[in-house]
Amino acid sequence: MPEATLFTKIINGDIPADKLYEDEHCICIKDISPQAPAHVLLIPRKPIPRLVDASPEDHEILGHLLLTAGEIARQLGVEDAFRLLINNGADAGQTVFHLHLHILANKKFTEQGLAL
Ligand code: 5GP
């Protein structure tokens, strides 16, 4: 059994995180070290290490992540200007080997909470 990733520990509640959203496929948390006024991470529950490690069976999860990213951006009030980023591999800056999408926006998001 491989060791649980940092994000699996967060998903399981073993490590605390500021959680904004979760459903059966994914969880969205605030980045601990924000690189923009709004910076959240969208993480699949399945611990796919890197994007290139995803397989055709992950089709639904990957589609779900993109649709959810748009919905979260809308709920955060940054839908008109945000960036989605995936670092794939250490040389590209990936530090946590559990697939995740960075949602970054230069507009601070509202703290009203998500009602997805
Ligand atoms: P990567 O560099 O792998 O693309 O992104 C990993 C991200 O995870 C970084 O932006 C980093 O700030 C964030 N991060 C690392 N450890 C923690 C943590 O314990 N909690 C949260 N919320 N974010 C983390």
Side-chain angles (χ1 to χ4, degrees):
M1 188 88 149
E3 212 212 316
T5 70
L6 169 68
F7 290 156
T8 293
K9 290 175 184 166
I10 287 175
I11 287 165
N12 291 341
D14 298 330
I15 292 178
D18 213 337
K19 196 187 300 176
L20 297 178
Y21 171 77
E22 67 180 320
D23 62 29
E24 75 270 36
H25 289 305
C26 63
I27 168 175
C28 181
I29 60 171
K30 288 186 188 175
D31 196 291
I32 203 168
S33 174
Q35 303 298 307
H39 186 179
V40 302
L41 303 172
L42 187 57
I43 306 162
R45 291 184 185 277
K46 182 175 177 184
I48 301 164
R50 304 171 300 168
L51 180 64
V52 289
D53 299 314
S55 63
E57 74 183 29
D58 300 318
H59 193 267
E60 186 188 350
I61 293 175
L62 296 181
H64 181 78
L65 287 172
L66 281 184
L67 286 170
T68 305
E71 194 54 40
I72 286 172
R74 237 191 312 279
Q75 293 289 331
L76 293 175
V78 299
E79 71 273 20
D80 291 328
F82 70 95
R83 289 191 296 135
L84 271 187
L85 177 76
I86 297 174
N87 292 322
N88 184 97
D91 287 348
Q94 185 173 5
T95 58
V96 180
F97 287 81
H98 180 146
L99 177 66
H100 51 284
L101 280 63
H102 296 256
I103 304 175
L104 297 136
N106 286 327
K107 181 179 158 195
K108 206 168 171 53
F109 54 70
T110 55
E111 292 285 350
Q112 66 203 12
L114 291 171
L116 293 176

